[in-house]
Amino acid sequence: MAKLCLVPTPIGNLEDITLRSLRILKEADIIFAEDTRVTKKLLNHFEISAHVLPFHSHNEHKALSSTIDKIKSCSLAVLVSDAGTPGISDPGFLLSRECVAEGIDVECLPGPTAFVPALVASGFPCDRFCFEGFLPHKKGRQTKLIAIEKEDRTIVLYESPHRLVKCLAQIEEFMGSERKVCVVRELTKIYEEYKRGTCKEVKEYYELHPPKGEIVIIIEGKNGKN
Ligand code: SAM
């Protein structure tokens, strides 16, 4: 019986891969990878030899039916993205939906993802939260910001370093300068950093210290409570 297993990979620190993930990567008949070069580097590090095939985000729709055929022809197929959990702001959702529709077993192993440690360490309530991932760049961005402004739950965004200040300025514009945020940068890496404060304070900090690396923005829910 065919099975698809989504396997999370480290978001910076290679020690974060689980023993079970390593075993499943070793046992897989095929590993579908967002970028085969990135995945082969990881597999080489752990001395795993595997049959790795591409599963790109830009051809996720197109690649679907041939990927399903390949999954059906083996007993264990794995999907990995470059870092973190597949399907979380990465390719994965369409493939898992299609596998479910085709009656193929789907499983996702627990493991690294950026938003959980960022949320939990932010100091904002994490009993209820809302994950928005990357905001749309142009169309729909304003509508999304208006909706987020009303949100009582803690809000989680992914953002690139060169857009961070602009994004904080928009949070200030739509949610007021006193809305509290926590910007979490470079999780699990040498320069891991948490900047907490009002969006105005944190924006001013990053105007003076242009950020590098990978970023999660946590925004306190409206009225500061859940
Ligand atoms: N699948 C990944 C996950 O499970 O978190 C997310 C992939 S998405 C393409 C990449 C974004 O995740 C980055 O732009 C950043 O917002 C966030 N991210 C990934 N690694 C991170 C890290 N080490 N520190 C902070 N944010 C990170």
Side-chain angles (χ1 to χ4, degrees), residues 11 83-85 88-90 113-114 134 158-159 186-187 214-216:
I11 56 167
T85 300
I88 301 298
S89 300
D90 265 341
T113 188
F134 292 100
Y158 283 171
E159 191 49 284
E186 293 289 83
L187 274 163
E214 299 194 277
I215 287 166
V216 184

Side-chain angles (χ1 to χ4, degrees), residues 160-162 164 185-186 191 193 206 209-215:
S160 67
H162 66 278
L164 176 65
R185 207 172 57 81
E186 293 289 83
Y191 297 106
E193 172 184 78
Y206 283 114
H209 307 90
K212 286 189 182 143
E214 299 194 277
I215 287 166

Side-chain angles (χ1 to χ4, degrees), residues 6-215:
L6 296 99
V7 174
T9 54
I11 56 167
N13 189 330
L14 292 178
E15 290 179 9
D16 290 333
I17 196 145
T18 69
L19 295 174
R20 189 165 163 225
S21 295
L22 290 175
R23 178 175 60 77
I24 294 293
L25 289 170
K26 278 182 200 145
E27 287 174 5
D29 301 303
I30 305 177
I31 298 175
F32 293 103
E34 182 183 8
D35 182 333
T36 55
R37 289 162 305 178
V38 172
T39 298
K40 279 180 184 165
K41 243 187 190 172
L42 179 80
L43 295 172
N44 285 341
H45 178 86
F46 290 107
E47 297 178 351
I48 296 171
S49 57
H51 181 35
V52 184
L53 294 177
F55 185 73
H56 304 294
S57 52
H58 61 267
N59 72 359
E60 200 177 351
H61 277 280
K62 242 169 110 184
L64 223 47
S65 72
S66 66
T67 306
I68 291 286
D69 290 345
K70 290 187 187 102
I71 293 173
K72 281 180 173 167
S73 74
C74 63
S75 56
L76 176 62
V78 159
L79 177 68
V80 291
S81 60
D82 290 353
T85 300
I88 301 298
S89 300
D90 265 341
F93 154 64
L94 292 176
L95 187 60
S96 66
R97 181 175 70 178
E98 197 64 16
C99 284
V100 169
E102 291 281 333
I104 298 168
D105 276 354
V106 178
E107 184 182 19
C108 177
L109 301 191
T113 188
F115 79 89
V116 173
L119 168 69
V120 174
S122 69
F124 298 140
C126 50
D127 50 346
R128 293 168 65 240
F129 64 92
C130 140
F131 176 76
E132 288 290 344
F134 292 100
L135 291 178
H137 288 174
K138 290 191 181 109
K139 198 165 165 272
R141 188 175 176 94
Q142 188 157 331
T143 313
K144 187 62 88 180
L145 282 159
I146 291 167
I148 289 176
E149 189 277 328
K150 298 187 180 66
E151 181 60 65
D152 275 337
R153 298 170 294 178
T154 303
I155 301 126
V156 184
L157 302 181
Y158 283 171
E159 191 49 284
S160 67
H162 66 278
R163 290 176 188 274
L164 176 65
V165 168
K166 182 183 164 208
C167 187
L168 290 170
Q170 287 183 316
I171 293 170
E172 193 178 350
E173 182 191 338
F174 283 82
M175 300 172 216
S177 54
E178 294 308 300
R179 181 70 75 105
K180 289 196 187 123
V181 298
C182 174
V183 170
V184 185
R185 207 172 57 81
E186 293 289 83
L187 274 163
T188 81
K189 303 183 201 173
I190 298 170
Y191 297 106
E192 178 167 318
E193 172 184 78
Y194 298 80
K195 275 287 159 223
R196 300 177 178 89
T198 65
C199 55
K200 184 173 190 292
E201 289 163 348
V202 177
K203 183 197 73 181
E204 285 169 0
Y205 173 83
Y206 283 114
E207 277 170 344
L208 293 176
H209 307 90
K212 286 189 182 143
E214 299 194 277
I215 287 166

